[in-house]
C-alpha cells in the first residue's frame, strides 16, 4: 500500500505557513524533459501545488544558492552549479533528487494536521541517506515502511496495527 512521505522544505513559523515535497511519487519523466541539466535523472512529483518549477534536494553545501534544511541536507541552488559539481567528480547525481511542484499549507493548516489526535502526518527525523534514497526494485519496501521501521514507536505500531507492514 502507498502512504506518502514528505519532506518539509520551508516553514514560516510567524506566518504559520509551510511548503514541502512528497518523496515517493515519480512523474514517469526525466529532468532532461524540462531543463537542460541532469538529463537522465528521474523527476518526482512534489505535490499538488503547481509551481512549474523544479525543487532540488541534495547533500552538497558547495552548490551555489543552496539553503540548509538540516545537518547535511540542502534544498535549491543553481542547477548549473550542481551539474558542474557532479561533472568535476566531487558529487554524484545519484545523491540529488528533483521534484516538480510541491505541497503547500496556508496559515494554520499544517499545525492543524499535526495536532494531537489528528494523525494526518506523523513527524519524524530521518537521516540524509533515507531522504535521498531511491529504489527501482519492484519488491523493495516502500519508503514509508523503511521510515516506520527506523523510527519505531508509535509510527511502527500504527503500521502494524493497520496491517500495513
Amino acid at each position: 500500500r502507498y502512504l506518502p512521505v514528505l519532506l518539509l522544505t520551508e516553514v514560516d513559523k510567524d506566518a504559520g505557513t509551510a511548503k514541502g515535497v512528497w518523496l515517493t511519487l515519480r512523474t514517469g519523466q526525466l529532468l532532461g524533459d524540462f531543463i537542460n541539466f541532469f538529463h537522465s535523472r528521474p523527476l518526482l512529483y512534489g505535490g499538488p501545488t503547481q509551481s512549474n518549477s523544479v525543487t532540488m534536494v541534495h547533500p552538497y553545501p558547495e552548490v551555489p544558492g543552496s539553503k540548509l534544511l538540516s545537518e547535511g541536507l540542502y534544498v535549491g541552488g543553481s542547477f548549473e552549479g550542481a551539474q558542474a559539481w557532479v561533472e568535476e567528480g566531487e558529487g554524484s547525481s545519484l545523491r540529488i533528487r528533483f521534484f516538480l511542484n510541491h505541497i503547500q499549507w496556508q496559515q494554520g493548516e499544517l499545525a492543524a494536521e499535526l495536532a494531537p489526535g489528528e494523525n494526518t502526518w506523523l513527524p519524524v527525523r530521518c537521516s540524509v541517506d533515507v531522504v535521498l534514497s531511491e529504489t527501482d526494485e519492484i519488491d523493495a519496501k516502500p519508503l514509508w515502511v523503511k521510515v516506520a521501521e527506523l523510527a519505531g514507536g508509535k509510527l511502527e505500531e500504527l503500521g502494524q496495527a493497520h496491517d500495513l507492514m
Side-chain angles (χ1 to χ4, degrees), residues 86-106:
V86 168
E87 287 175 357
E88 291 168 8
E90 298 293 330
S92 169
S93 66
L94 300 177
R95 300 283 293 161
I96 304 175
R97 300 192 68 194
F98 302 95
F99 303 88
L100 180 64
N101 300 331
H102 60 274
I103 186 168
Q104 184 169 335
W105 292 268
Q106 299 304 320

Side-chain angles (χ1 to χ4, degrees), residues 47-79:
T49 304
Q50 296 219 355
S51 60
N52 294 321
S53 65
V54 175
T55 300
M56 178 171 55
V57 176
H58 55 87
Y60 303 121
E62 298 83 2
V63 173
S66 61
K67 181 178 91 175
L68 179 68
L69 282 180
S70 65
E71 185 177 339
L73 190 64
Y74 298 82
V75 65
S78 159
F79 290 103

Side-chain angles (χ1 to χ4, degrees), residues 130-146:
V130 169
V131 171
L132 297 177
S133 69
E134 55 184 75
T135 183
D136 290 323
E137 298 172 26
I138 199 122
D139 60 346
K141 290 180 185 176
L143 181 58
W144 70 267
V145 171
K146 292 176 187 176

Side-chain angles (χ1 to χ4, degrees), residues 24-41:
T24 50
L25 293 175
R26 288 193 176 205
T27 63
Q29 297 176 302
L30 300 175
L31 186 61
D33 296 337
F34 291 88
I35 61 174
N36 196 26
F37 298 102
F38 299 99
H39 298 108
S40 63
R41 295 298 298 141

